[in-house]
């Protein structure tokens, strides 16, 4: 990208794809997808997740990129200016705001988990030799219960993110991403092969792909929906901002499909690397957010060259997380910069510091830590609350309104001009955006409201 000013552009379609894949592929694929699939009971959750990516995620990605390219500004101003252009209320700008606020909440805990990855990279460099399931679980739980170490790691991760965003997302990053993302892909492939050979591969395959739809409660369905948005970086303004840097001749739908395919492939590969180890060592697939940190180190401790492979894996995961976290910080920074004209470095540092401080609460709220006993709404930790609020409420609701805006409040002609695709593809996309996506998202919520409020009332 040629700079961070409003009309900056990606240097090529490939650079854009890499940056967008960089935003999409991150902790969501390698940390979150496996443990949520585990908690969701496997197969049915995974299939539903993939279906959501295809039927809701891709059309939404196309819509968000198109809005960004049309608006050419930060998310709030893009929404406002397109609404004005179409003679609609400026209140649509609120959708930009919900993205900025959601992204701020996400980065506060994303950076903490990014810090865990950095800490594990250091641990991996001294090796995990002889680590068994009990020891690996113990190592992780002791680490997250520490009041100081995770905070230092969280600070380092945030400082790196701030450092990059403050400089503007420049060519250097573009170049780094084009090399490092494929490298992560290769090492993940290596891990899949290793886990496949040494672990319980068939059991993992069955767990990940054999559907047991009875296990799917309304809440799990919402988790799968939220995860599909999280993983594709949707409705947070990130993709809209990246879209605003997009040259006119880039084909948005084709790009969206490439991004979603790469994103889903990485998530599935993470699952195939992790679950054979889970089953080989009798770990609990529903064990929660520590899954990747408790499983892979066991493999690194045993494989030849485990020190090199382990360190490299966590280093590349850190890079993948950083290319996502910069896209979480960018929308807020671009908005405040645009509105106040304040120095970009200052704005970035202030937002980064505030997000860091908010993130410390997520660390203190881990089991055994200073606020480990603080729970909300029947047992949720501070991090769980932030995660639920963003993934399961702000993202799906934001996406639903964005689809309603694009499908019903922006003229068909404007979208046709922006997409410039053949008529049949346009009609399919438009139908999904106008009807299927909003109705499907609404149905997922209606189902939860029925499960948690109406059904108990009727039973009582
Ligand atoms: N998509 C990123 C991941 O899967 O790790 C996380 C993310 C980035 C979510 C940017 C939302 C966002 F706007």
């Amino acid at each position: 990208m040629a700079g961070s000013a409003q009309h900056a552009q990606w240097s090529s379609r490939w650079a854009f794809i890499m940056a967008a894949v960089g935003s999409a592929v991150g902790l969501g694929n390698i940390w979150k997808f496996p443990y949520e699939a585990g908690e969701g009971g496997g197969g049915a959750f995974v299939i539903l997740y993939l279906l959501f990516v295809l039927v809701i995620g891709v059309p939404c990605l196309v819509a968000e990129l198109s809005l960004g390219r049309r608006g050419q500004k930060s998310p709030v101003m893009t929404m406002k200016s397109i609404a004005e252009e179409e003679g609609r209320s400026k209140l649509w700008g609120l959708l930009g705001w919900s993205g900025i606020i959601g992204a701020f909440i996400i980065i506060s805990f994303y950076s903490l988990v990014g810090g865990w990855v950095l800490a594990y990279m250091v641990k991996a460099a001294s090796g995990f030799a002889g680590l068994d399931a009990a020891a690996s679980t113990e190592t992780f739980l002791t680490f997250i219960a520490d009041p100081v170490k995770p905070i230092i790691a969280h600070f380092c991760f945030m400082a790196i993110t701030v450092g990059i965003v403050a400089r503007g997302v420049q060519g250097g990053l573009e170049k780094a991403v084009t090399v490092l993302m494929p490298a992560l892909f290769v090492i993940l492939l290596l891990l899949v092969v290793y886990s496949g050979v040494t672990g319980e591969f068939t059991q993992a395959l069955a767990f990940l792909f054999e559907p047991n739809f009875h296990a799917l409660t309304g809440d799990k369905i919402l988790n799968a929906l939220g995860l599909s948005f999280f993983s594709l970086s949707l409705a947070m303004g990130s993709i809209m901002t990246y879209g605003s840097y997009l040259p006119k001749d880039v084909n948005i739908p084709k790009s969206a499909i490439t991004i979603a395919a790469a994103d889903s492939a990485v998530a599935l590969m993470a699952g195939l690397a992790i679950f054979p180890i889970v089953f080989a060592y009798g770990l609990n697939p529903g064990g929660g957010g520590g899954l990747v940190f408790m499983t892979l180190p066991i493999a690194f401790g045993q494989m030849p060259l485990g020190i090199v492979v382990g360190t490299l894996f966590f280093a590349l995961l850190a890079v993948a997380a950083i290319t996502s976290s910069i896209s979480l910080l960018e929308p807020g920074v671009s908005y405040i910069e645009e509105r106040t004209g304040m120095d970009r470095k200052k704005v970035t540092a202030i937002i980064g510091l505030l997000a860091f401080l908010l993130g410390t609460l997520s660390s203190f709220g881990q089991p055994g830590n200073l606020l480990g006993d603080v729970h909300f709404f029947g047992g949720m930790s501070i991090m769980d609350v932030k995660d639920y609020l963003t993934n399961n409420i702000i993202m799906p609701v934001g996406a639903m309104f964005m689809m309603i805006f694009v499908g019903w409040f922006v003229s068909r002609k404007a979208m046709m001009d922006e997409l410039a695709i053949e008529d049949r593809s346009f009609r399919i996309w438009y139908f999904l955006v106008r009807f299927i996506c909003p109705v499907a998202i609404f149905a997922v919520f209606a189902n939860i409201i029925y499960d948690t409020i109406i059904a108990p009332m009727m039973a009582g």
Side-chain angles (χ1 to χ4, degrees), residues 23-29 103 106 110 229-234 236-239 263 324-325 327-328 395:
S23 168
V25 172
L27 297 171
N29 309 62
I106 292 178
Y110 201 87
F229 289 123
F230 185 88
S231 189
L232 291 173
S233 307
L234 290 173
M236 293 288 99
S238 302
I239 289 293
D263 190 62
S324 301
S325 66
S327 78
L328 281 162
M395 281 181 155

PDB file of all heavy atoms in Angstrom, residues 23-29 103 106 110 229-234 236-239 263 324-325 327-328 395, ligand 1:
ATOM      1  N   SER A  23      -5.143 -10.343   7.617  1.00  0.00           N
ATOM      2  CA  SER A  23      -6.136  -9.939   8.615  1.00  0.00           C
ATOM      3  C   SER A  23      -7.013 -11.128   9.003  1.00  0.00           C
ATOM      4  O   SER A  23      -7.294 -11.355  10.178  1.00  0.00           O
ATOM      5  CB  SER A  23      -7.009  -8.815   8.051  1.00  0.00           C
ATOM      6  OG  SER A  23      -8.129  -8.620   8.877  1.00  0.00           O
ATOM      7  N   ALA A  24      -7.421 -11.896   8.021  1.00  0.00           N
ATOM      8  CA  ALA A  24      -8.345 -13.008   8.301  1.00  0.00           C
ATOM      9  C   ALA A  24      -7.658 -14.141   9.059  1.00  0.00           C
ATOM     10  O   ALA A  24      -8.148 -14.628  10.071  1.00  0.00           O
ATOM     11  CB  ALA A  24      -8.938 -13.526   6.983  1.00  0.00           C
ATOM     12  N   VAL A  25      -6.495 -14.545   8.575  1.00  0.00           N
ATOM     13  CA  VAL A  25      -5.815 -15.686   9.199  1.00  0.00           C
ATOM     14  C   VAL A  25      -5.076 -15.203  10.441  1.00  0.00           C
ATOM     15  O   VAL A  25      -4.265 -14.286  10.370  1.00  0.00           O
ATOM     16  CB  VAL A  25      -4.806 -16.317   8.220  1.00  0.00           C
ATOM     17  CG1 VAL A  25      -3.973 -17.367   8.926  1.00  0.00           C
ATOM     18  CG2 VAL A  25      -5.553 -16.931   7.048  1.00  0.00           C
ATOM     19  N   GLY A  26      -5.388 -15.810  11.545  1.00  0.00           N
ATOM     20  CA  GLY A  26      -4.721 -15.397  12.775  1.00  0.00           C
ATOM     21  C   GLY A  26      -5.100 -16.331  13.896  1.00  0.00           C
ATOM     22  O   GLY A  26      -5.350 -17.523  13.677  1.00  0.00           O
ATOM     23  N   LEU A  27      -5.195 -15.769  15.092  1.00  0.00           N
ATOM     24  CA  LEU A  27      -5.525 -16.595  16.253  1.00  0.00           C
ATOM     25  C   LEU A  27      -6.902 -17.229  16.096  1.00  0.00           C
ATOM     26  O   LEU A  27      -7.170 -18.285  16.652  1.00  0.00           O
ATOM     27  CB  LEU A  27      -5.497 -15.731  17.508  1.00  0.00           C
ATOM     28  CG  LEU A  27      -4.118 -15.132  17.827  1.00  0.00           C
ATOM     29  CD1 LEU A  27      -4.218 -14.107  18.952  1.00  0.00           C
ATOM     30  CD2 LEU A  27      -3.152 -16.240  18.219  1.00  0.00           C
ATOM     31  N   GLY A  28      -7.771 -16.565  15.325  1.00  0.00           N
ATOM     32  CA  GLY A  28      -9.114 -17.104  15.113  1.00  0.00           C
ATOM     33  C   GLY A  28      -9.066 -18.488  14.501  1.00  0.00           C
ATOM     34  O   GLY A  28      -9.866 -19.356  14.828  1.00  0.00           O
ATOM     35  N   ASN A  29      -8.104 -18.714  13.619  1.00  0.00           N
ATOM     36  CA  ASN A  29      -8.017 -20.005  12.935  1.00  0.00           C
ATOM     37  C   ASN A  29      -7.293 -21.052  13.778  1.00  0.00           C
ATOM     38  O   ASN A  29      -7.679 -22.209  13.798  1.00  0.00           O
ATOM     39  CB  ASN A  29      -7.243 -19.863  11.627  1.00  0.00           C
ATOM     40  CG  ASN A  29      -7.772 -18.730  10.789  1.00  0.00           C
ATOM     41  OD1 ASN A  29      -7.723 -17.576  11.214  1.00  0.00           O
ATOM     42  ND2 ASN A  29      -8.296 -19.042   9.630  1.00  0.00           N
ATOM     43  N   ALA A 103     -13.911  -3.697  17.541  1.00  0.00           N
ATOM     44  CA  ALA A 103     -12.499  -3.982  17.258  1.00  0.00           C
ATOM     45  C   ALA A 103     -11.630  -3.628  18.467  1.00  0.00           C
ATOM     46  O   ALA A 103     -10.677  -4.341  18.798  1.00  0.00           O
ATOM     47  CB  ALA A 103     -12.040  -3.192  16.034  1.00  0.00           C
ATOM     48  N   ILE A 106     -12.043  -6.376  20.977  1.00  0.00           N
ATOM     49  CA  ILE A 106     -11.352  -7.598  20.533  1.00  0.00           C
ATOM     50  C   ILE A 106      -9.842  -7.460  20.702  1.00  0.00           C
ATOM     51  O   ILE A 106      -9.184  -8.335  21.253  1.00  0.00           O
ATOM     52  CB  ILE A 106     -11.655  -7.934  19.058  1.00  0.00           C
ATOM     53  CG1 ILE A 106     -13.117  -8.336  18.908  1.00  0.00           C
ATOM     54  CG2 ILE A 106     -10.774  -9.088  18.563  1.00  0.00           C
ATOM     55  CD1 ILE A 106     -13.540  -8.653  17.493  1.00  0.00           C
ATOM     56  N   TYR A 110      -7.243 -10.016  22.222  1.00  0.00           N
ATOM     57  CA  TYR A 110      -6.463 -10.639  21.140  1.00  0.00           C
ATOM     58  C   TYR A 110      -4.972 -10.461  21.423  1.00  0.00           C
ATOM     59  O   TYR A 110      -4.165 -11.369  21.249  1.00  0.00           O
ATOM     60  CB  TYR A 110      -6.829  -9.949  19.829  1.00  0.00           C
ATOM     61  CG  TYR A 110      -6.527 -10.744  18.582  1.00  0.00           C
ATOM     62  CD1 TYR A 110      -7.438 -11.650  18.083  1.00  0.00           C
ATOM     63  CD2 TYR A 110      -5.326 -10.577  17.904  1.00  0.00           C
ATOM     64  CE1 TYR A 110      -7.184 -12.368  16.928  1.00  0.00           C
ATOM     65  CE2 TYR A 110      -5.058 -11.296  16.745  1.00  0.00           C
ATOM     66  CZ  TYR A 110      -5.995 -12.180  16.267  1.00  0.00           C
ATOM     67  OH  TYR A 110      -5.731 -12.893  15.126  1.00  0.00           O
ATOM     68  N   PHE A 229     -17.647 -14.938  11.430  1.00  0.00           N
ATOM     69  CA  PHE A 229     -17.401 -13.500  11.258  1.00  0.00           C
ATOM     70  C   PHE A 229     -16.023 -13.128  11.793  1.00  0.00           C
ATOM     71  O   PHE A 229     -15.270 -12.387  11.170  1.00  0.00           O
ATOM     72  CB  PHE A 229     -18.463 -12.669  11.979  1.00  0.00           C
ATOM     73  CG  PHE A 229     -19.811 -12.736  11.325  1.00  0.00           C
ATOM     74  CD1 PHE A 229     -20.925 -13.152  12.024  1.00  0.00           C
ATOM     75  CD2 PHE A 229     -19.957 -12.374   9.998  1.00  0.00           C
ATOM     76  CE1 PHE A 229     -22.160 -13.224  11.416  1.00  0.00           C
ATOM     77  CE2 PHE A 229     -21.191 -12.439   9.374  1.00  0.00           C
ATOM     78  CZ  PHE A 229     -22.294 -12.871  10.085  1.00  0.00           C
ATOM     79  N   PHE A 230     -15.722 -13.647  12.981  1.00  0.00           N
ATOM     80  CA  PHE A 230     -14.442 -13.326  13.612  1.00  0.00           C
ATOM     81  C   PHE A 230     -13.297 -13.747  12.707  1.00  0.00           C
ATOM     82  O   PHE A 230     -12.356 -13.004  12.451  1.00  0.00           O
ATOM     83  CB  PHE A 230     -14.348 -14.064  14.954  1.00  0.00           C
ATOM     84  CG  PHE A 230     -13.120 -13.731  15.759  1.00  0.00           C
ATOM     85  CD1 PHE A 230     -13.120 -12.658  16.641  1.00  0.00           C
ATOM     86  CD2 PHE A 230     -11.964 -14.493  15.649  1.00  0.00           C
ATOM     87  CE1 PHE A 230     -11.993 -12.346  17.388  1.00  0.00           C
ATOM     88  CE2 PHE A 230     -10.833 -14.189  16.387  1.00  0.00           C
ATOM     89  CZ  PHE A 230     -10.849 -13.122  17.265  1.00  0.00           C
ATOM     90  N   SER A 231     -13.417 -14.958  12.200  1.00  0.00           N
ATOM     91  CA  SER A 231     -12.326 -15.505  11.414  1.00  0.00           C
ATOM     92  C   SER A 231     -12.116 -14.741  10.103  1.00  0.00           C
ATOM     93  O   SER A 231     -11.000 -14.597   9.633  1.00  0.00           O
ATOM     94  CB  SER A 231     -12.625 -16.976  11.145  1.00  0.00           C
ATOM     95  OG  SER A 231     -11.512 -17.568  10.582  1.00  0.00           O
ATOM     96  N   LEU A 232     -13.214 -14.239   9.533  1.00  0.00           N
ATOM     97  CA  LEU A 232     -13.073 -13.477   8.282  1.00  0.00           C
ATOM     98  C   LEU A 232     -12.900 -11.978   8.543  1.00  0.00           C
ATOM     99  O   LEU A 232     -12.922 -11.175   7.614  1.00  0.00           O
ATOM    100  CB  LEU A 232     -14.295 -13.705   7.386  1.00  0.00           C
ATOM    101  CG  LEU A 232     -14.434 -15.104   6.779  1.00  0.00           C
ATOM    102  CD1 LEU A 232     -15.764 -15.252   6.054  1.00  0.00           C
ATOM    103  CD2 LEU A 232     -13.292 -15.392   5.811  1.00  0.00           C
ATOM    104  N   SER A 233     -12.762 -11.597   9.808  1.00  0.00           N
ATOM    105  CA  SER A 233     -12.569 -10.175  10.199  1.00  0.00           C
ATOM    106  C   SER A 233     -13.734  -9.283   9.794  1.00  0.00           C
ATOM    107  O   SER A 233     -13.531  -8.118   9.452  1.00  0.00           O
ATOM    108  CB  SER A 233     -11.291  -9.595   9.567  1.00  0.00           C
ATOM    109  OG  SER A 233     -10.172 -10.375   9.837  1.00  0.00           O
ATOM    110  N   LEU A 234     -14.963  -9.829   9.829  1.00  0.00           N
ATOM    111  CA  LEU A 234     -16.090  -9.059   9.297  1.00  0.00           C
ATOM    112  C   LEU A 234     -16.750  -8.128  10.309  1.00  0.00           C
ATOM    113  O   LEU A 234     -16.686  -8.361  11.509  1.00  0.00           O
ATOM    114  CB  LEU A 234     -17.156 -10.032   8.772  1.00  0.00           C
ATOM    115  CG  LEU A 234     -16.742 -10.774   7.503  1.00  0.00           C
ATOM    116  CD1 LEU A 234     -17.769 -11.832   7.148  1.00  0.00           C
ATOM    117  CD2 LEU A 234     -16.571  -9.796   6.360  1.00  0.00           C
ATOM    118  N   MET A 236     -16.203  -5.334  11.541  1.00  0.00           N
ATOM    119  CA  MET A 236     -15.430  -4.578  12.516  1.00  0.00           C
ATOM    120  C   MET A 236     -14.769  -3.368  11.877  1.00  0.00           C
ATOM    121  O   MET A 236     -13.954  -2.691  12.483  1.00  0.00           O
ATOM    122  CB  MET A 236     -14.332  -5.475  13.136  1.00  0.00           C
ATOM    123  CG  MET A 236     -14.838  -6.603  13.980  1.00  0.00           C
ATOM    124  SD  MET A 236     -15.508  -6.026  15.562  1.00  0.00           S
ATOM    125  CE  MET A 236     -17.237  -6.006  15.237  1.00  0.00           C
ATOM    126  N   GLY A 237     -15.066  -3.130  10.615  1.00  0.00           N
ATOM    127  CA  GLY A 237     -14.450  -1.989   9.947  1.00  0.00           C
ATOM    128  C   GLY A 237     -13.097  -2.313   9.331  1.00  0.00           C
ATOM    129  O   GLY A 237     -12.602  -1.568   8.492  1.00  0.00           O
ATOM    130  N   SER A 238     -12.494  -3.427   9.745  1.00  0.00           N
ATOM    131  CA  SER A 238     -11.158  -3.762   9.211  1.00  0.00           C
ATOM    132  C   SER A 238     -11.211  -3.967   7.706  1.00  0.00           C
ATOM    133  O   SER A 238     -10.435  -3.398   6.940  1.00  0.00           O
ATOM    134  CB  SER A 238     -10.630  -5.064   9.816  1.00  0.00           C
ATOM    135  OG  SER A 238     -10.563  -4.957  11.191  1.00  0.00           O
ATOM    136  N   ILE A 239     -12.160  -4.812   7.303  1.00  0.00           N
ATOM    137  CA  ILE A 239     -12.248  -5.166   5.893  1.00  0.00           C
ATOM    138  C   ILE A 239     -12.730  -3.958   5.080  1.00  0.00           C
ATOM    139  O   ILE A 239     -12.308  -3.743   3.946  1.00  0.00           O
ATOM    140  CB  ILE A 239     -13.182  -6.384   5.738  1.00  0.00           C
ATOM    141  CG1 ILE A 239     -12.484  -7.635   6.295  1.00  0.00           C
ATOM    142  CG2 ILE A 239     -13.627  -6.601   4.311  1.00  0.00           C
ATOM    143  CD1 ILE A 239     -11.262  -8.100   5.529  1.00  0.00           C
ATOM    144  N   ASP A 263      -8.597 -18.844   4.423  1.00  0.00           N
ATOM    145  CA  ASP A 263      -8.919 -18.773   5.849  1.00  0.00           C
ATOM    146  C   ASP A 263      -9.455 -20.110   6.358  1.00  0.00           C
ATOM    147  O   ASP A 263      -9.031 -20.616   7.399  1.00  0.00           O
ATOM    148  CB  ASP A 263      -9.961 -17.659   6.040  1.00  0.00           C
ATOM    149  CG  ASP A 263     -10.187 -17.343   7.504  1.00  0.00           C
ATOM    150  OD1 ASP A 263      -9.221 -16.912   8.156  1.00  0.00           O
ATOM    151  OD2 ASP A 263     -11.313 -17.536   7.986  1.00  0.00           O
ATOM    152  N   SER A 324      -3.208  -9.630  11.918  1.00  0.00           N
ATOM    153  CA  SER A 324      -4.629  -9.452  12.229  1.00  0.00           C
ATOM    154  C   SER A 324      -4.809  -8.287  13.189  1.00  0.00           C
ATOM    155  O   SER A 324      -5.736  -7.490  13.041  1.00  0.00           O
ATOM    156  CB  SER A 324      -5.210 -10.715  12.877  1.00  0.00           C
ATOM    157  OG  SER A 324      -5.066 -11.810  12.029  1.00  0.00           O
ATOM    158  N   SER A 325      -3.922  -8.187  14.192  1.00  0.00           N
ATOM    159  CA  SER A 325      -4.149  -7.147  15.201  1.00  0.00           C
ATOM    160  C   SER A 325      -3.947  -5.756  14.607  1.00  0.00           C
ATOM    161  O   SER A 325      -4.630  -4.820  15.009  1.00  0.00           O
ATOM    162  CB  SER A 325      -3.270  -7.365  16.429  1.00  0.00           C
ATOM    163  OG  SER A 325      -1.927  -7.195  16.092  1.00  0.00           O
ATOM    164  N   SER A 327      -4.926  -4.916  11.768  1.00  0.00           N
ATOM    165  CA  SER A 327      -6.176  -4.592  11.081  1.00  0.00           C
ATOM    166  C   SER A 327      -7.286  -4.290  12.089  1.00  0.00           C
ATOM    167  O   SER A 327      -8.318  -3.739  11.733  1.00  0.00           O
ATOM    168  CB  SER A 327      -6.587  -5.709  10.119  1.00  0.00           C
ATOM    169  OG  SER A 327      -7.167  -6.780  10.811  1.00  0.00           O
ATOM    170  N   LEU A 328      -7.074  -4.673  13.349  1.00  0.00           N
ATOM    171  CA  LEU A 328      -8.051  -4.333  14.387  1.00  0.00           C
ATOM    172  C   LEU A 328      -7.833  -2.916  14.908  1.00  0.00           C
ATOM    173  O   LEU A 328      -8.755  -2.251  15.372  1.00  0.00           O
ATOM    174  CB  LEU A 328      -7.942  -5.321  15.555  1.00  0.00           C
ATOM    175  CG  LEU A 328      -8.595  -6.680  15.350  1.00  0.00           C
ATOM    176  CD1 LEU A 328      -8.073  -7.704  16.349  1.00  0.00           C
ATOM    177  CD2 LEU A 328     -10.114  -6.581  15.457  1.00  0.00           C
ATOM    178  N   MET A 395     -20.742  -8.507  16.284  1.00  0.00           N
ATOM    179  CA  MET A 395     -20.433  -8.902  14.905  1.00  0.00           C
ATOM    180  C   MET A 395     -21.663  -9.365  14.122  1.00  0.00           C
ATOM    181  O   MET A 395     -21.933  -8.847  13.040  1.00  0.00           O
ATOM    182  CB  MET A 395     -19.365  -9.988  14.879  1.00  0.00           C
ATOM    183  CG  MET A 395     -17.984  -9.433  15.087  1.00  0.00           C
ATOM    184  SD  MET A 395     -16.799 -10.769  15.021  1.00  0.00           S
ATOM    185  CE  MET A 395     -15.365  -9.872  14.522  1.00  0.00           C
TER     186      MET A 395
HETATM  187  N1  LIG B   1      -9.700 -12.644  11.710  1.00  0.00           N
HETATM  188  C1  LIG B   1      -8.746 -12.582  12.777  1.00  0.00           C
HETATM  189  C2  LIG B   1      -8.421 -14.001  13.219  1.00  0.00           C
HETATM  190  O1  LIG B   1      -9.071 -14.945  12.761  1.00  0.00           O
HETATM  191  O2  LIG B   1      -7.534 -14.164  14.031  1.00  0.00           O
HETATM  192  C3  LIG B   1      -9.243 -11.767  13.935  1.00  0.00           C
HETATM  193  C4  LIG B   1      -9.893 -10.471  13.551  1.00  0.00           C
HETATM  194  C5  LIG B   1      -9.173  -9.501  12.848  1.00  0.00           C
HETATM  195  C6  LIG B   1     -11.213 -10.257  13.869  1.00  0.00           C
HETATM  196  C7  LIG B   1      -9.805  -8.336  12.456  1.00  0.00           C
HETATM  197  C8  LIG B   1     -11.846  -9.086  13.498  1.00  0.00           C
HETATM  198  C9  LIG B   1     -11.134  -8.144  12.785  1.00  0.00           C
HETATM  199  F1  LIG B   1     -11.730  -7.066  12.440  1.00  0.00           F
END
